[in-house]
Each structure stands twice: as C-alpha cells, then as structure tokens.
Amino acid sequence: MLRLLCSASLGLLAACSSAPTYNPTVFPYEIKEEQLAQQPIKRVVIAHVNIDRLSRRYLQEHEARVDKMVESYLEDNGIQVISSRGFEQEWRTAVRAYGNVFDPATGEVNRKTFALALVDVRDALAESEDIDGIVFTDLLERETTFSAGLQHTARWDGVSRKPTLQGPGDGVSAGFNWAQPLAVASLWVSIYDMELKRVFTSIGGLDTTQAIDTRSSSGRYVRRRSILESDGFIEEGIQLAFHPFIPMNNYPGEEP
C-alpha cells in the first residue's frame, strides 16, 4: 500500500511539473484556418529577407542560425523546406530592377518596392518549384521590464527569463531600478501562400539581449556579450511563434 501511495504521489508530481505555466504575454496569433484546410501549406521556402524593417545589426548575425533551426522544426513536423538559393537569386534580380527595398540608413522598408520584388520572386518560384508558401522569420528587438519583488522575471511574447549579470561582481545594488526598459529579442513568423495572402502570423520570445552591468554603482543594462546563446530558448521561441500552425506542446497561452 505504501508503495502504491508513493507511486501515485510521484505520478501526480510528474503531471504537475509537465503542466504548462500560464503566461498572458503570448502574442495574439492570426491564422486562416479554413483557407489552410482547403489549401494546406506542406512545401515552403524560408525567405532570407525580413517582411518588415531590417533587424538590428547585432541580431542580423544570428539570422542564418535561427533560420536553420526553423527549417529543422518545420521538417520535423512534416513540412518540407526547399533550398532558399532560388529565392535569393531571384530577389537579387528584382532588387536590380526596382532598387533597394530597405533604406540602409534607417532599416525601413519601401512597401511598394518590396511588393514589386516579392511578386517577381513568387512568379519565378512558381515556375521552377512545386511550392505552397513563403515563410518570413524576422528577428525583432522588443522592450520589457523585470517584475518587482524577490523573483525578478522578464516576461514577453510567451516566455519568462531571469536577469543576466555581466562584469566582475556577482550581485546587484540595492537601489537597482528594475522598472527600467530592458531590450529583448523575439521571432516574428509570417507565412504567405502563393497568392501572397498571409495565412498565419505570430511572435515568440527568445531571450534578453541586455545584462545588468555589475560595475555600475547606479545600476544599468549593457549589451550582452553572448546574444541568443541558448538553443533551448530559441527552440521555445520557434515553437511559440508557429503555434497553432504547428501546435505547441504545453502552450502557455491557455488560461487555467
């Protein structure tokens, strides 16, 4: 009887530990369920360009790595990803024809030029590839704050992250302002069909991009030396960004 009670208790603990923790910051995704049911997206290309403004320079160096992880996630869930080389080649041709899509000084996108270029790329891909859709994966810089109290946690776009310290010290000054804005990174996923209609979009949080500077007596944030170093955090953000296009296990957006 004792062994049975212990087994039951352990089972209950395991069930509790695997239950999702509600996080009200999940992004309000948009999905065209009826359209996807009629025309499923099963074969895609991942665009090497953003659908909106350019990512911040310190995030751009991580775009290829994140895209590779997105590719693996899609493939693991039954969606075939074709090589992006054709997209890149056709995009360069379109840019030569229409001019720069992004302002190199501000990173802002020229909507008219972008639309013209994307139509040309779509037309070329439709002729050469059996493809259902185009996936855009923008890396965004966002802002949030750490919570007050003893357990300081930053929550945004469905994730929760603890503070990171950077510098020679190992503590935070008593007067540190936890309410000051903190820079964080998120993944914005947008999926378009071959008529260039958006069928899905959502955002998943990745990680903080600033750390607490332990050298500062007044308390400030500095850019982290290692950005997006945790594969686990990136994988969590990818799962959040694709839900419910690809359902996420233990999705934290469902209120208990």
Side-chain angles (χ1 to χ4, degrees):
M1 179 64 72
L2 180 59
R3 280 197 294 268
L4 287 173
L5 288 173
C6 289
S7 298
S9 298
L10 290 173
L12 179 60
L13 288 172
C16 292
S17 64
S18 63
T21 301
Y22 176 59
N23 189 331
T25 69
V26 291
F27 189 81
Y29 57 79
E30 298 177 11
I31 186 168
K32 306 295 185 184
E33 292 181 337
E34 291 185 5
Q35 185 173 339
L36 286 170
Q38 295 173 1
Q39 297 177 313
I41 303 291
K42 290 297 183 182
R43 185 173 163 89
V44 302
V45 63
I46 298 175
H48 71 293
V49 294
N50 285 4
I51 192 68
D52 198 54
R53 62 175 294 126
L54 291 172
S55 298
R56 294 292 299 272
R57 189 175 299 275
Y58 75 91
L59 292 174
Q60 289 179 20
E61 61 188 82
H62 300 280
E63 290 175 334
R65 171 170 161 247
V66 172
D67 280 353
K68 193 65 179 176
M69 295 177 71
V70 167
E71 178 180 345
S72 295
Y73 185 65
L74 291 172
E75 294 273 4
D76 289 345
N77 285 277
I79 298 173
Q80 187 176 356
V81 180
I82 70 169
S83 171
S84 63
R85 287 193 296 270
F87 188 103
E88 294 172 11
Q89 180 179 342
E90 297 299 335
W91 187 265
R92 288 193 295 269
T93 300
V95 168
R96 285 195 295 269
Y98 300 114
N100 285 333
V101 172
F102 298 98
D103 186 325
T106 65
E108 295 291 337
V109 63
N110 183 317
R111 298 287 181 188
K112 181 178 180 180
T113 304
F114 187 96
L116 291 170
L118 187 57
V119 167
D120 279 10
V121 173
R122 184 275 314 270
D123 291 345
L125 288 177
E127 290 181 2
S128 61
E129 300 282 355
D130 177 16
I131 184 174
D132 302 318
I134 302 171
V135 179
F136 291 90
T137 54
D138 297 14
L139 292 182
L140 307 178
E141 182 182 74
R142 313 273 266 174
E143 277 192 350
T144 187
T145 59
F146 284 112
S147 60
L150 296 177
Q151 298 294 324
H152 300 290
T153 305
R155 297 202 297 176
W156 76 99
D157 294 335
V159 299
S160 301
R161 302 289 184 250
K162 294 294 186 182
T164 299
L165 303 182
Q166 190 164 290
D170 58 0
V172 181
S173 62
F176 187 81
N177 179 16
W178 293 99
Q180 62 184 303
L182 170 75
V184 297
S186 292
L187 172 65
W188 178 20
V189 166
S190 300
I191 303 177
Y192 287 76
D193 65 14
M194 294 307 285
E195 294 182 0
L196 298 183
K197 295 178 180 178
R198 192 171 73 182
V199 294
F200 175 76
T201 188
S202 191
I203 298 176
L206 297 174
D207 201 0
T208 62
T209 60
Q210 289 183 316
I212 298 173
D213 183 6
T214 58
R215 297 169 299 181
S216 171
S217 58
S218 59
R220 63 174 184 175
Y221 294 126
V222 292
R223 181 75 62 221
R224 289 176 60 175
R225 297 190 187 96
S226 299
I227 303 293
L228 302 183
E229 60 184 336
S230 170
D231 285 352
F233 285 173
I234 295 176
E235 289 167 358
E236 181 185 13
I238 290 173
Q239 292 173 25
L240 283 163
F242 276 96
H243 181 86
F245 179 76
I246 298 174
M248 176 184 181
N249 291 331
N250 293 331
Y251 178 65
E254 297 173 358
E255 190 169 3

